[in-house]
Amino acid sequence: MSLKNDRFLKALLRQDVDVTPVWMMRQAGRYLPEYRNTRKQAGDFMKLCQTPELACEVTLQPLQRYAFDAAILFSDILTIPDAMGQGLYFAEGEGPKFRKVIRSAADVERLPDINIASELSYVTDAVSLIRKELNGSIPLIGFSGSPWTLATYMIEGGGSKDFRIAKQFMYDNPEAMHLLLEKLASAVIDYLNAQIKAGAQAVQIFDTWGGILTAQGYQEFSLAYMKKIIASLHTENEGRQVPVIVFTKNGGQWLESIADAGCHAVGLDWTTDIGVARHRIGERVALQGNMDPTMLYASPKAIRKEVESILKSFGKGNGHVFNLGHGITPEVSPENVAVFVEAVHEFSSQYHD
Ligand code: CP3
């Protein structure tokens, strides 16, 4: 089926577009009252992810309000460790938690060798359903966490302020850490390939915690595994290339090596100037980003000014997908998101011939 709006896929491959495409990390989420309603109906967050009809419904909600150029599958990065038997749950107001934690080499060795694609068939079912409902309007993004980011949650047993336990495990047991990352990389490959087979038209690897590593540690414990994943992904869906986006939060210092990892686009958080990033990585990959998500609390006037400034910094030509530098937060007013999306389309036409 041909896509009515394919500017997102084109921009990722640095092809010419009419206006800069835009989507938002966490675009389906708690800032939308309709999301809060569906979540309440589902009972809890995992139930929402595990019921394809409900996951599809919340994926489509932001698209009914805003002219986003891509949809993103509604799920979570922690479904993989959950499928590995770690017992994911969401304590009210506390974020994700695991009933089991990884604290030794034996714990890593005990992780079951499961068929991720069949364990997570609720995700691939959601992908197929969303594709059907999108009916060729805009492309669908699939995603996974990076092995390093998944490992940090599995070792800590949840989120953390300083990742002391995960980093200590890495420093004291580098071999066990590598075995864990190896197992996770293999699961991520199967998982993303299953999403692509089910209809995902681009994929993003969320390396939310890559930026807590040292420069050397980043190469060895995070980037190496993302490279391996990228090299093993299906490259086509329905005769079209499936672009891969790597988003390492706080990875601004390592853009050159991320751009060389084999991905088509690098996601930027808000701490890097996108124009400077473009000069550094040249024509190698597209860039995605990078408005400070906190900007969405500011006035419409300030939001519009910031969108203009980011577009100007990137400059003329192809290879830019507009996004926030990280996910939207729950207290943002939905009206401000409309201002943001409209400003990207309105101001960006002058940067494309
Ligand atoms: O972008 C999207 O709209 C797709 C959906 C999506 C979710 N999580 C839904 C979600 C995506 C892409 C993710 C990825 C994810 N999950 C990451 C990587 C991206 C990032 O934000 O850094 C991480 C680290 C997680 C783990 C996770 N899941 C955390 C830390 C939390 C709690 C966050 C919070 O705000 O409380 C979740 C839960 C979660 N995942 C929610 C949503 C909409 C909120 C759950 C709720 O409804 O209560």
Side-chain angles (χ1 to χ4, degrees), residues 216-237:
Q216 165 60 29
Y218 177 70
Q219 298 288 330
E220 182 181 340
F221 292 97
S222 186
L223 192 62
Y225 293 93
M226 293 198 284
K227 276 187 191 165
K228 185 178 165 175
I229 292 164
I230 297 165
S232 309
L233 292 182
H234 297 326
T235 55
E236 275 193 17
N237 173 306

Side-chain angles (χ1 to χ4, degrees), residues 23-30 35 39 44-45 48-49 62 72-78 90 92-96 143-145 149 153 159 204 206-209 247 249 326-330:
W23 69 281
M24 220 168 55
M25 287 187 268
R26 292 277 175 99
Q27 67 191 24
R30 283 171 296 181
Y35 169 84
R39 188 186 182 286
D44 71 90
F45 175 73
L48 189 52
C49 294
I72 179 162
L73 160 72
F74 189 84
S75 189
D76 198 79
I77 62 166
L78 301 178
F90 285 81
E92 199 60 50
E94 278 184 69
F143 71 89
S144 170
T149 295
Y153 284 99
Q204 174 155 324
F206 285 91
D207 187 29
T208 306
W209 303 121
F247 171 65
K249 185 159 165 266
H326 197 202
I328 182 173
T329 43

Side-chain angles (χ1 to χ4, degrees), residues 7 83 106 266 319:
R7 55 168 85 99
V266 175

Side-chain angles (χ1 to χ4, degrees), residues 250-265:
N250 266 306
Q253 292 195 70
W254 312 314
L255 292 183
E256 291 82 355
S257 54
I258 303 172
D260 285 337
C263 58
H264 302 86

